[in-house]
């Protein structure tokens, strides 16, 4: 049985499982649709949160980035995990005690303003939509290669699956589906890593294999350093001092963006008690660590195997996996000197091989010549990662429209049944729109996701953290800060992203900060504007100060 058979089998079984869970746990009320009635056990919520947050960027793209950037790719590891610690300590328990459905709910109530709620819901939709586009690309990449169908058709299939269980089950269905998806994705990520670590170093634990000697007696990272230098690249473990400031700002944007992501924050409204919010954040961090401590090992193994397989190889003799990925357009060989030999080097004038970073994790089992069922398993895992996050993001878009816009602003007297229908219709529209945008995403998966984190950092994080810890923060300050922060970040991203039509060039970056890290500057601007404006305008009403007291301190 070949890899394609195993792929169809494992993807079919897991998709059937997700659909079955959605039917079993379909939402009957708006409370079930928005926050699963607030009755999810902390351990299950931690598992669902981990799946919600470990998107296609974590599963498919992160190890690929580390493969190509080496030490420089650690910004993604540090930023995304550090953000969860910040979230668990500074936000989760307080927002759960507040006890509403959404982040715009908190912003609207805390800043006693419909305008604040409206700005927050626009930001929530904007951030979530940017993020979900990256997930759609991940779905398309996995389907196009392993089911041997066009990329566009792969995205459409992903839309159909998410459409079914998100529209039917809402948060209740999504939560239990995400528990299953976590089990699938973590098993799929670690099994190939164990195989490859055993194959390369004789040690079955990838985290230990990462620092071990390979079968030829050379330490893995020393071997990778030498291979990189031989091809004209920097040492894999070297720090590029010229980009250090950019690494810092990207790490900070990912960290503060994590703590401001609406689809992650809303998960802490689904547990029964305030204490459970902090506990579930701890469980989530543990579940996330299984993947994040394995990713650097996978990155190193994949890079060594890739170089050994294709560098200076005769094109006529390359393995079958090379031709398969070439057919997808995600791997390209341009024989510049017509000698039939693949030149993979740092010099762009000589280099003949172009590799999309997003293929590294998915291609890794094939490069290492692992059994066909392992290849099928990793496809099922990649799809689980992309679909679990996509569902959580689409639910944020849905609740922002049906609850924050329709019920809170346009029609406060809408019936529960009407609101539930509005939520389902809005999530259906969002699924289709995200899928269409995913057909032509503005970059590789982790890059698109990093932009979403920057937008979250520059818009939500200051408003939420100041809303909890600064009783003097008023609506004028929060509104001004959010608008200026997100507008600055958005303009910078559009200006320096050629895929979005921007004319800007990297040499013109502000302080050398790329669009992926500019959210940190946007956040700082947000903080400054918020604090200055709040001190120059009328003070916060007494009832809002009491609300802040009730959130921060137990009675």
């Amino acid at each position: 049985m070949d890899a394609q058979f195993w792929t169809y089998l494992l993807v079919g079984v897991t998709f059937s499982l997700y659909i079955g869970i959605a039917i079993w746990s379909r939402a009957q009320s708006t409370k079930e649709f928005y926050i699963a009635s607030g009755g999810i056990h902390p351990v299950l919520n931690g598992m669902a949160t981990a799946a919600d947050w470990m998107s296609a960027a974590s599963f498919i793209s992160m190890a690929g980035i580390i493969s190509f950037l080496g030490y420089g790719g650690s910004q993604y590891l540090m930023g995304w995990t550090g953000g969860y610690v910040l979230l668990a300590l500074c936000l989760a328990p307080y927002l759960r005690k507040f006890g509403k459905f959404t982040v715009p709910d908190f912003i609207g109530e805390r800043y006693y303003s419909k305008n604040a709620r409206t700005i927050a819901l626009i930001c929530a939709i904007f951030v979530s939509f940017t993020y979900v586009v990256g997930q759609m690309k991940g779905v398309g990449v996995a389907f196009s290669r392993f089911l041997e169908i066009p990329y566009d058709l792969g995205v459409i299939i992903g839309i159909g699956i998410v459409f079914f269980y998100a529209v039917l089950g809402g948060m209740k269905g999504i939560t239990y589906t995400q528990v299953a998806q976590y089990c699938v994705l973590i098993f799929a990520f670690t099994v190939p890593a164990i195989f490859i670590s055993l194959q390369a170093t004789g040690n079955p634990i990838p985290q230990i294999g990462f620092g071990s000697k390979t079968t030829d007696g050379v330490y893995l990272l020393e071997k990778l350093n030498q291979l990189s230098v031989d091809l004209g690249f920097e040492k894999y473990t070297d720090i590029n001092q010229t980009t250090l400031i950019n690494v810092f700002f990207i790490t900070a944007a990912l960290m503060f963006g994590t703590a401001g992501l609406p689809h992650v924050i809303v998960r802490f409204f689904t547990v029964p008690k305030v204490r459970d919010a902090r506990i579930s954040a701890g469980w989530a961090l543990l579940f996330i660590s299984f993947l994040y401590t394995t990713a650097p090992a996978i990155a190193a193994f994949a890079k060594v195997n890739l170089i050994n397989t294709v560098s200076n190889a005769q094109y006529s003799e390359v393995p079958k996996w090379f031709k398969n990925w070439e057919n997808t357009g995600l791997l390209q060989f341009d024989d510049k000197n017509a000698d039939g030999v693949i030149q993979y080097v740092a010099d762009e004038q000589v280099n003949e091989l172009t590799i999309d970073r997003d293929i590294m994790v998915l291609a890794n089992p094939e490069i290492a010549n692992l059994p066909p069922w392992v290849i099928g398993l990793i496809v099922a895992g990649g799809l689980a990662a992309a679909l679990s996050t996509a569902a959580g993001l689409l639910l944020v878009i849905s609740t922002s429209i049906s609850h924050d816009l329709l019920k809170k602003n346009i029609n406060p007297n809408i019936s529960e049944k009407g609101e539930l229908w509005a939520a389902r219709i809005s999530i259906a529209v969002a699924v289709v729109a995200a899928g269409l945008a995913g057909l032509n995403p503005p970059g590789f998966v982790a890059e698109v996701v990093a932009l979403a984190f920057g937008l979250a950092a520059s818009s939500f994080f200051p408003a939420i953290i100041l809303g909890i810890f600064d009783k003097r923060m008023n609506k004028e300050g929060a509104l001004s800060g959010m608008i200026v922060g997100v507008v600055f970040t958005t303009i910078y991203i559009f200006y320096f992203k050629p895929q979005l039509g921007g004319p800007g060039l990297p040499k013109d970056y502000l302080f050398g900060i790329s669009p992926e890290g500019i959210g940190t500057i946007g956040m700082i601007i947000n903080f400054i504007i918020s604090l200055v404006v709040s001190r120059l305008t009328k003070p916060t009403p007494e009832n809002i100060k009491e609300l802040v007291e009730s959130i921060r301190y137990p009675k």
Side-chain angles (χ1 to χ4, degrees):
M1 292 183 287
D2 61 10
Q4 191 173 24
F5 168 82
W6 280 106
T7 301
Y8 273 106
L9 177 64
L10 292 172
V11 170
V13 168
T14 54
F15 277 18
S16 299
L17 175 64
Y18 306 153
I19 291 170
I21 291 172
I23 294 171
W24 166 73
S25 59
R26 60 188 179 276
Q28 303 291 343
S29 66
T30 53
K31 193 173 183 182
E32 286 187 344
F33 195 91
Y34 294 145
I35 58 169
S37 296
I40 305 298
H41 190 278
V43 176
L44 293 180
N45 192 57
M47 200 175 289
T49 304
D52 201 352
W53 183 69
M54 287 194 298
S55 62
S58 295
F59 190 100
I60 295 174
S61 199
M62 184 175 65
I65 288 177
I66 297 171
S67 281
F68 285 87
L69 297 184
Y71 186 89
S74 61
Q75 60 203 14
Y76 291 89
L77 289 169
M78 294 185 293
W80 282 333
T81 50
Y84 242 97
V85 177
L86 186 65
L87 181 65
L89 295 176
C90 298
L91 299 183
Y94 305 108
L95 291 173
R96 175 60 188 87
K97 189 173 182 186
F98 180 68
K100 296 290 183 179
F101 287 158
T102 65
V103 173
D105 239 358
F106 172 80
I107 299 290
E109 294 283 334
R110 167 59 182 86
Y111 295 112
Y112 49 98
S113 168
K114 283 189 175 182
N115 290 334
R117 185 190 298 275
T118 302
I119 295 296
L121 75 89
I122 291 171
C123 290
I125 293 171
F126 192 34
V127 170
S128 301
F129 193 79
T130 304
Y131 201 156
V132 82
V133 168
Q135 310 315 304
M136 291 297 115
K137 188 198 173 185
V139 171
V141 168
F143 271 128
S144 64
R145 161 61 188 93
F146 291 99
L147 299 186
E148 296 183 3
I149 58 177
Y151 170 87
D152 292 0
L153 181 58
V155 172
I156 291 169
I157 293 173
I159 291 171
I161 298 296
V162 176
F163 182 95
F164 185 86
Y165 71 78
V167 171
L168 186 65
M171 179 58 86
K172 184 180 178 185
I174 287 171
T175 296
Y176 291 113
T177 304
Q178 284 172 339
V179 170
Q181 286 167 330
Y182 174 80
C183 296
V184 171
L185 76 86
I186 206 67
F187 186 71
F189 197 79
T190 52
V191 166
I194 291 169
F195 267 102
I196 295 170
S197 180
L198 197 59
Q199 186 185 77
T201 67
N203 194 309
I205 303 173
Q207 292 86 343
I208 297 176
F210 182 55
S212 301
K213 291 181 178 179
T214 57
T215 51
D216 56 6
V218 181
Y219 281 102
L220 175 68
L221 291 177
E222 284 184 9
K223 184 174 184 177
L224 191 47
N225 278 338
Q226 189 58 54
L227 287 170
S228 299
V229 170
D230 290 345
L231 297 174
F233 297 100
E234 294 180 349
K235 283 187 177 181
Y236 190 77
T237 57
D238 270 3
I239 303 172
N240 187 340
Q241 296 292 336
T242 60
T243 62
L244 207 54
I245 188 170
N246 193 41
V247 169
F248 172 81
F249 277 91
I250 291 176
T251 302
L254 297 175
M255 182 180 295
F256 294 113
T258 295
L261 284 176
H263 78 289
V264 175
I265 291 172
V266 75
R267 291 237 54 97
F268 299 106
F269 295 134
T270 65
V271 291
K273 295 179 291 186
V274 175
R275 180 172 174 268
D276 295 334
R278 200 185 297 275
I279 292 171
S280 65
W283 279 107
L285 197 58
L286 174 66
F287 292 132
I288 289 165
S289 69
F290 296 144
L291 186 146
Y292 270 65
T293 56
T294 308
I298 287 181
F301 291 134
K303 191 64 178 288
V304 169
N305 287 336
L306 177 73
I307 293 172
N308 286 337
T309 304
V310 303
S311 183
N312 293 318
Q314 288 286 340
Y315 180 69
S316 58
E317 299 175 3
V318 294
K320 184 180 177 183
W321 69 262
F322 188 99
K323 298 288 181 67
N324 289 336
W325 280 106
E326 199 174 19
N327 291 337
T328 68
L330 299 172
L331 186 150
Q332 297 173 347
F333 169 55
D334 177 17
D335 195 1
K336 293 177 180 177
N337 58 7
D339 65 350
V341 177
I342 300 172
Q343 306 278 344
Y344 177 51
V345 293
D347 187 344
E348 289 296 327
Q349 301 301 317
V350 180
N351 181 55
E352 298 175 336
L353 188 65
T354 304
I355 306 165
D356 189 310
R357 299 174 184 182
D358 288 341
I359 76 170
M360 292 302 290
V361 170
L362 296 176
N364 201 17
E366 293 180 287
I367 298 171
N369 201 27
L370 296 185
W373 67 268
V374 179
I375 297 169
L377 180 64
I378 204 160
V379 180
L383 291 170
L387 296 177
S388 63
T389 302
L393 292 163
L394 291 164
L395 186 68
V396 167
I397 296 172
S398 168
T399 52
S400 294
I401 294 170
S402 61
H403 181 72
D404 296 305
L405 180 62
L406 182 60
K407 184 175 179 63
K408 295 293 185 178
N409 281 0
I410 298 175
N411 185 10
N413 297 320
I414 190 172
S415 66
E416 173 142 334
K417 186 176 180 181
E419 187 182 350
L420 187 59
W421 271 107
R424 286 186 165 135
I425 292 169
S426 58
I427 203 171
V429 173
V431 169
V432 175
L436 293 174
L439 297 177
N440 188 28
F444 54 89
V445 176
E447 183 182 40
V448 178
V449 168
L451 298 178
F453 276 74
L455 292 169
S458 63
S459 58
F460 282 123
F461 181 74
I464 296 172
I465 203 78
L466 291 173
I468 295 171
F469 294 104
D470 183 6
K471 289 191 285 188
R472 292 183 62 188
M473 183 52 53
N474 59 16
K475 66 179 179 181
E476 290 83 5
L479 273 169
S480 303
M482 286 177 67
I483 293 171
V484 174
V486 78
V487 168
F488 166 80
T489 305
T490 304
I491 291 173
Y492 192 93
I493 288 171
F494 272 81
Y495 185 79
F496 285 109
K497 279 293 173 186
Q499 303 96 323
L500 300 172
L505 299 173
K507 66 182 180 64
D508 298 320
Y509 284 164
L510 181 66
F511 307 123
I513 302 169
S514 69
E516 291 76 30
I518 200 61
T520 304
I521 297 293
M523 179 194 69
I524 294 169
I525 292 172
N526 186 335
F527 269 117
I528 293 170
I529 296 289
S530 298
L531 291 168
V532 171
V533 172
S534 67
R535 269 53 178 181
L536 297 177
T537 51
K538 57 185 179 183
T540 310
E542 287 301 318
N543 64 312
I544 299 301
K545 291 180 180 178
E546 291 173 6
L547 173 65
V548 175
E549 286 283 343
S550 69
I551 294 171
R552 285 167 52 187
Y553 302 109
K555 291 184 179 179

